[in-house]
Amino acid sequence: MARSQSLSAPYDRGMTTTGLDDLLNTPTPPGDWGPWRLDVANYALTHAGNRYSIDLRSCVTSAEVLDWIAQIAGKTWGEDPTVLAGLVVALDELLDFQGTLCSRGKSTTRTVESVIADVDAFAAEPAHKSVIAK
């Protein structure tokens, strides 16, 4: 096959830039949060089994996020890998903590208002309703 034929192959299948825009703008369903659910009214992550709650408004520095992860890891019920992994996935999807709190290894501080805005935006997406507390 000639090189020019292989480069044009995706376009021969009907791929358009409009289709790519739609794909890039489609909300991604949340990852596996394990037992964690988002309590939108209180801006909190709540453990479904024991109703333990993490106030997301307190997660404005990388140290505060790490402190929550360490606290949960120290609980007997936190030894379940799905609990800790689910917490990390939930925190990352809600706060984008590498992008907003510790990008390139440098600690930064967010405002509480920016956390609230991110949580509100996340909760507004219909694709995310599976992790919203009822």
Side-chain angles (χ1 to χ4, degrees), residues 48-105:
N50 62 20
R51 303 185 58 99
Y52 193 90
S53 187
I54 296 172
D55 187 345
L56 294 167
R57 294 167 294 191
S58 71
C59 296
V60 296
T61 68
S62 55
E64 289 166 333
V65 172
L66 183 58
D67 184 58
W68 278 115
I69 293 169
Q71 281 189 47
I72 301 306
K75 306 278 184 205
T76 55
W77 51 268
E79 294 173 1
D80 178 346
T82 62
V83 171
L84 205 54
L87 175 61
V88 171
V89 170
L91 288 169
D92 188 45
E93 289 183 353
L94 290 166
L95 304 174
D96 181 28
F97 54 79
Q98 185 177 22
T100 62
L101 293 172
C102 59
S103 182
R104 296 186 177 152

Side-chain angles (χ1 to χ4, degrees), residues 11-64:
Y11 301 105
D12 294 341
R13 288 186 235 131
M15 181 181 283
T16 65
T17 57
T18 302
L20 182 58
D21 287 342
D22 290 343
L23 178 64
L24 294 174
N25 293 320
T26 301
T28 304
D32 184 0
W33 287 19
W36 296 98
R37 294 295 172 262
L38 176 62
D39 176 353
V40 180
N42 294 305
Y43 296 97
L45 276 176
T46 304
H47 185 278
N50 62 20
R51 303 185 58 99
Y52 193 90
S53 187
I54 296 172
D55 187 345
L56 294 167
R57 294 167 294 191
S58 71
C59 296
V60 296
T61 68
S62 55
E64 289 166 333

Side-chain angles (χ1 to χ4, degrees), residues 108-133:
T108 59
T109 300
R110 297 186 67 174
T111 64
V112 172
E113 293 79 16
S114 72
V115 170
I116 289 171
D118 282 354
V119 170
D120 287 342
F122 182 92
E125 290 292 344
H128 299 156
K129 69 180 182 178
S130 66
V131 293
I132 306 293

